Amino acid sequence: MRPAGSALRLTIFIGEHDTWHHKPLFTEIVHRAHSAGLAGASVFRGCEGIGASSLIHASHPLSLGEDLPVAIVIVDSEERIRAFLPQLDQLAGEGQVILDAVEVIRYTGRAKGTL
């Protein structure tokens, strides 16, 4: 059963150009989350941010090579998220991980023919 009620949100901040075995790191993290049976994972590309290097990374038309910030957000039960953390230890180069308690409200849609 997927979580409803209290849960833990795992947010991972990395660079868009970070890789794992020649593929995007965010892709590897999402695939590992899927393999671990986590409820879901989403990747969000930032348009500007400051990384560990203290450099401003921004999306500008004339700077195609910028390493923009990426956030991967995963929400599941605290037990499942904490069990997933060792996977990130294997992948960690640079980045930041944030854990915070959240409340999940699940919408399942309406049955056909109801208003």
Side-chain angles (χ1 to χ4, degrees), residues 87-102:
Q87 296 271 349
L88 297 180
D89 292 341
Q90 295 174 4
L91 303 171
E94 282 188 5
Q96 185 174 25
V97 173
I98 297 173
L99 295 171
D100 50 350
V102 295

Side-chain angles (χ1 to χ4, degrees), residues 54-96:
S54 295
L55 296 174
I56 295 177
H57 302 275
S59 175
H60 296 290
L62 300 177
S63 57
L64 299 174
E66 288 293 331
D67 188 19
L68 295 173
V70 171
I72 304 110
V73 178
I74 303 169
V75 178
D76 208 312
S77 69
E78 180 172 357
E79 178 182 315
R80 293 171 66 90
I81 291 292
R82 291 198 183 277
F84 183 69
L85 291 177
Q87 296 271 349
L88 297 180
D89 292 341
Q90 295 174 4
L91 303 171
E94 282 188 5
Q96 185 174 25

Side-chain angles (χ1 to χ4, degrees), residues 21-43:
H21 294 272
H22 309 290
K23 65 181 179 181
L25 178 57
F26 60 83
T27 299
E28 181 65 19
I29 293 170
V30 169
H31 285 243
R32 287 188 184 208
H34 181 258
S35 294
L38 296 177
S42 297
V43 177

